[in-house]
Amino acid sequence: MSCGIERVQEARLAAEELRSQVNYHDYLYFAKDAPEISDAEYDELMRRLRAIEAHHPELITPDSPTQRVSGQPVEAFGVVQHREPLLSLSNAFDLEELQAWHRRATGLAEVEGFDMVVEPKIDGLAVALVYEGGRFLQGATRGDGLRGENITENLRTIRSIPMQVRGGRVPKRFEVRGEVYMSKTAFERLNNQRADEGEPLFANPRNAAAGAVRQLDSRITASRRLDIWVYQLGWADDGKTPDSHWESLQWLDKLGFRINPHIARCRDPDEIHRHYEEWVEKRHGLEYEIDGLVVKIDSLDLQQRLGYVGREPRWAVAYKFPPIQTTTKLLKIAINVGRTGSLNPFAVLEPVQVGGVVVKQATLHNEDDVRRKDIRVGDTVIVQRAGDVIPQVVGPVMSKRTGKQRRFVMPKRCPVCGGEVVRPEGEAMSYCVNTTCPAQVFRWLTHFVSRGAMDVDGLGEQWAYVLMDKGLVEDPADLFFLSREQLLELERMGPVLADKIMTNIQVAKSRPLSRLLFALGIRHVGSEIAETLATEFGSLDAIAAAGREELETVPAIGPKIAESVRAYFRGKRQRKVIEKLKRAGVNMKQKRAAPAEGPLAGQTFVVTGTLASMTRSEAEAKLKALGADIGSSVTKKTAYLVTGQSPGSKLQKAQQYGTKLMDERELLRLLRSP
Ligand code: IVH
């Protein structure tokens, strides 16, 4: 007897301990974005807690993490009550667990067997979209499953969400569910940009997507390039809808919803497992992250009969992939010199398997990032690999810290050439100032000839290295003075390749100015800014001669880019290179964009807050049609700030700059006036 009580006591203590651990890690993950343990370790804690609670239901407390569905709605968005709750899924981590789920469902359904639909489990965030009369009416986050946030305006910016369904007869009102996500490419681009701007980085595409969808300013959402996979018909008011999940996906596809193409119908767990094994590898080739497969019983009638346990349906299960996060030791922080001279720290790790690949190195972005995450040499760190995205160090495992770890300091001298290192004010990056630093020149050269730049096919990294090593090329302009004979003297260079390279170099001379500008490797001038500069100014000379003020009149260009462009063209070496390029006959011109026409031409408008009569993007489109430039933030250049309800920080900025304000009535008058 006493023995039983003791066991319950022990279980109670263990459950309490697990709950406090899970709460602590939840806090680190969700509130601080600085987890100390891997997802797999976290899942293990939850599993142990669930196991205890399953044995001792009397120990379950209402505030136990097992009783919670994550995500409280934020009031600022307005709360949406879901007509039918958005459910979560129970997990299976191996074939045995999948078989157990299947056996249970078969037993309960009292059937011989059933078809199942197997879909990728997209790692994004769930949304519910309501359509009325075929038009998109409202979109919401999952929230706690019962109530979510109204994010309609932000979802409107996602191009793959149809605003109007295709095809004739649809139910008067219906709801579809799907996963909003950010592609791996968009995620990398966003993080690179944030690193450049010294902003904290997102740990993974899911966090980035969640952040984008919950922006109060939908223009920010729009700029983050989100996408959706629709995976379920939620509810429908009237009209005929299909009898099976598979058919409902086909039906939704016809209506114009984006349905994932990698969906299969299977009959038994072994078949599903084979499919799973394939995807464990194949998933890395996808443009988005998936963390497992979702298995759903196809018949909707059977789904209904099986019902739910708590918030989890008995008719579906998530078959999760092994984790792509692990822990390992950080041996050293080394430095890589980029093409703009940036010193990029990276982690040298004790080799470790992550998601089926051995990882030895991981990016650390910049000094601030290392400091913010408090990563020290000698730490045990969490390493994460997201598909073919470069491995990352998520953060240190604090509990493994012994005091022997060393903080990272940026070297005062360039590790390659010994040149001086400076960190410009307000920037997150440190730079080697020696423009003849071999590492810098090498990166510059390979960037110069790369696809998006001058695109000299055939001249890869290896040849760039050889050309530098032989002293034939000291900067990209030298490429245009190479002779066929010089190339033929190089080891392993045959006449065919030499001819090809010579031709491609000739062709590169006539690339548009925007390509050349990008190829020059001016800090903060990516391909888009290069395009803008080229079409605004029309020639390299005009850009080089432009003063800061003049550069800043271009809407997309702020003080940081303007200063960087100025500094570039002031540089002695850069000027020499440009002279050489000119002598070689490289094109330095591009047709200028016709200036915007209309009564508002030359004036920049910023729209903020909620308007009553139209959405912000509609207002912007209308202003644009009258020739106005649209800014995303208030600067000195802003002519008018159009303010709707709850304008926020932009209003303060406008007051600070003395920007003219315009309310909705005035805006409507302006839009009406001929
Ligand atoms: S079905 C009961 N299908 O996974 C049905 N969910 O852990 C639950 N998810 O909240 C949703 N891909 O955010 C379903 N193909 C897919 C999914 C999927 C990702 C997410 C969804 C859901 C979570 C459940």
Side-chain angles (χ1 to χ4, degrees), residues 87-89 119-122 126 142 179 231 294 296 313 315:
L87 303 164
S88 44
L89 290 167
E119 309 169 4
K121 186 170 189 299
I122 319 296
R142 171 166 172 238
E179 197 83 348
Y231 54 63
V294 182
K296 300 172 185 170
W315 47 265

Side-chain angles (χ1 to χ4, degrees), residues 80-84 129-138 165 169-176 233-241 251 255 257:
V80 170
Q81 185 89 32
H82 296 302
R83 198 155 115 183
E84 283 175 27
L129 314 173
V130 178
Y131 284 77
E132 189 179 64
R135 289 173 75 94
F136 176 54
L137 179 70
Q138 184 186 66
V165 303
R169 281 156 53 115
V170 290
K172 198 160 154 239
R173 260 177 179 251
F174 66 94
E175 183 210 57
V176 299
L233 174 62
W235 47 261
D237 259 355
D238 52 15
K240 192 160 163 42
T241 51
W251 182 70
L255 294 189
F257 291 100

Side-chain angles (χ1 to χ4, degrees), residues 339 514 517-518 522-532 561:
R339 74 184 142 83
S514 55
L517 256 185
F518 176 53
I522 306 170
R523 265 178 225 167
H524 309 306
V525 177
S527 51
E528 277 171 37
I529 296 288
E531 182 68 44
T532 310
I561 300 177

Side-chain angles (χ1 to χ4, degrees), residues 383-458:
V383 178
Q384 152 173 305
R385 207 175 74 93
D388 37 14
V389 177
I390 314 159
Q392 290 177 344
V393 175
V394 178
V397 179
M398 287 299 181
S399 54
K400 298 262 170 78
R401 210 169 250 176
T402 58
K404 284 200 184 136
Q405 288 78 5
R406 278 169 296 116
R407 274 181 218 273
F408 169 71
V409 266
M410 197 43 104
K412 297 269 176 295
R413 300 247 144 221
C414 170
V416 176
C417 70
E420 192 193 340
V421 169
V422 295
R423 181 171 165 179
E425 220 185 283
E427 287 205 26
M429 282 287 176
S430 296
Y431 297 89
C432 160
V433 294
N434 172 18
T435 49
T436 59
C437 168
Q440 233 181 97
V441 175
F442 173 69
R443 300 233 172 249
W444 188 16
L445 211 58
T446 50
H447 167 70
F448 191 88
V449 298
S450 69
R451 274 265 176 82
M454 296 298 261
D455 193 8
V456 184
D457 199 20

Side-chain angles (χ1 to χ4, degrees), residues 85-91 118-127 142 177-180 229-232 245 260 263 290-296 308 311-318 320:
L86 268 71
L87 303 164
S88 44
L89 290 167
S90 56
N91 292 324
V118 185
E119 309 169 4
K121 186 170 189 299
I122 319 296
D123 203 5
L125 68 147
V127 294
R142 171 166 172 238
R177 297 175 177 184
E179 197 83 348
V180 165
W229 290 120
V230 166
Y231 54 63
Q232 203 184 5
H245 177 60
N260 192 284
I263 292 183
I290 65 175
D291 58 349
L293 300 177
V294 182
V295 181
K296 300 172 185 170
Y308 316 93
R311 294 277 172 83
E312 293 167 1
R314 288 198 190 88
W315 47 265
V317 69
K320 297 284 281 276

Side-chain angles (χ1 to χ4, degrees), residues 579-598:
E579 275 314 309
K580 258 200 270 180
L581 289 167
K582 259 188 204 162
R583 254 190 291 132
V586 173
N587 170 50
M588 306 218 161
K589 290 204 161 54
Q590 190 159 332
K591 218 170 136 217
R592 291 181 66 168
E597 280 178 31

